[in-house]
Amino acid sequence: MTSPSKGRVERQVLIVRDHVLAGRAFSSVEEMNSAFTAWVPLRRAKVHGTHGEVIGLRAVRDHMALRPLPQIPYVVAQRHLRYVGKDCLVAFEANLYSVPALRVRPRQLVEIRATKSQVSLHSTATDHRGETLLAAHPRAVGRGARVVDETHWNGLPTGAGRRVTAGGELPAARRKEGRDPGPGSLMALLSRSAATQVEVGRRPLSVYDELTGTRPFTTHPSTEKTS
């Protein structure tokens, strides 16, 4: 969507081009700046065609109405919702960022607020202190990076299960089938199918020859050559 003031800003460029630059040649940037500086008072003394006031006087009034900038800068940030993995990592733009394991649970929905240089992760509900911030990391450059704070795994068991927020091992049967799908598992699947219990009739191939009108090729005794 085009901003309502976009055309007004572009219009100022056209005014400067038509009143200062058109039909003139400058030997240096300084000469062009001097020509613009000499033109500004002439422009500010004119009556504006829209509000009907002298441009210079209206500018002074507008400047006096401006307020000081706030102490806290306005931060432009992307905001997204993502799920926490069992490894305490949250995926964003093909990179992974850690969150404290003891403050989240697997598949919990968290909010990502990303600026140009930082990625902060927030809970969707406030804690007992009224805060939502879970972690803040430098924004990764590129793809495939793991931005991890090792202290986020503090309080979890050490060893193989250290980087797991909750939940147990996968069932042994699932792991076995996933690692080594042998013929036993296939036979177990087939044995549960009703189709495998149907008796299949067995016939000699000559029956099919009769049905199709074909005969196997044989040499007739009368056609054999005699030497």
Side-chain angles (χ1 to χ4, degrees):
M1 181 181 294
T2 302
S3 171
S5 60
K6 180 175 181 293
R8 298 178 184 178
V9 174
E10 294 176 347
R11 176 60 181 161
Q12 303 308 310
V13 176
L14 297 178
I15 291 174
V16 173
R17 186 187 67 184
D18 295 341
H19 291 79
V20 181
L21 305 179
R24 303 177 64 177
F26 302 96
S27 59
S28 64
V29 176
E30 290 75 14
E31 183 180 351
M32 183 175 62
N33 289 337
S34 298
F36 177 77
T37 303
W39 170 80
V40 168
L42 301 177
R43 177 64 182 174
R44 292 171 65 88
K46 292 182 176 295
V47 175
H48 198 277
T50 300
H51 51 65
E53 300 181 46
V54 177
I55 296 175
L57 299 178
R58 175 65 179 261
V60 172
R61 193 173 79 230
D62 289 346
H63 289 168
M64 293 177 61
L66 295 176
R67 298 180 180 181
L69 294 175
Q71 295 294 329
I72 301 176
Y74 180 79
V75 178
V76 178
Q78 299 173 265
R79 304 182 71 169
H80 305 274
L81 293 176
R82 293 291 188 275
Y83 288 105
V84 179
K86 290 189 68 176
D87 52 3
C88 311
L89 299 177
V90 180
F92 174 64
E93 291 188 342
N95 297 305
L96 297 173
Y97 299 87
S98 66
V99 290
L102 298 182
R103 296 184 60 188
V104 296
R105 63 184 184 279
R107 298 297 297 170
Q108 176 178 332
L109 199 63
V110 297
E111 181 185 1
I112 292 178
R113 301 176 188 175
T115 65
K116 185 177 181 180
S117 59
Q118 186 183 63
V119 171
S120 59
L121 299 103
H122 295 257
S123 172
T124 55
T126 58
D127 58 14
H128 64 281
R129 296 172 297 180
E131 298 179 357
T132 61
L133 180 64
L134 296 172
H137 299 282
R139 187 164 184 171
V141 178
R143 301 167 67 88
R146 291 167 57 94
V147 186
V148 174
D149 182 348
E150 293 290 340
T151 62
H152 286 168
W153 284 297
N154 288 348
L156 293 179
T158 58
R162 175 175 175 81
R163 299 181 179 183
V164 177
T165 58
E169 295 284 339
L170 292 175
R174 287 185 58 187
R175 294 205 312 274
K176 182 176 180 181
E177 291 176 8
R179 287 199 310 265
D180 186 20
S185 60
L186 177 60
M187 294 303 297
L189 177 63
L190 293 176
S191 65
R192 294 195 296 267
S193 175
T196 61
Q197 309 302 323
V198 178
E199 185 67 24
V200 178
R202 298 177 179 273
R203 302 180 181 88
L205 295 178
S206 59
V207 175
Y208 300 98
D209 293 336
E210 292 289 344
L211 294 174
T212 58
T214 59
R215 294 287 187 277
F217 178 79
T218 58
T219 303
H220 197 276
S222 62
T223 60
E224 293 183 356
K225 285 187 177 183
T226 59
S227 56

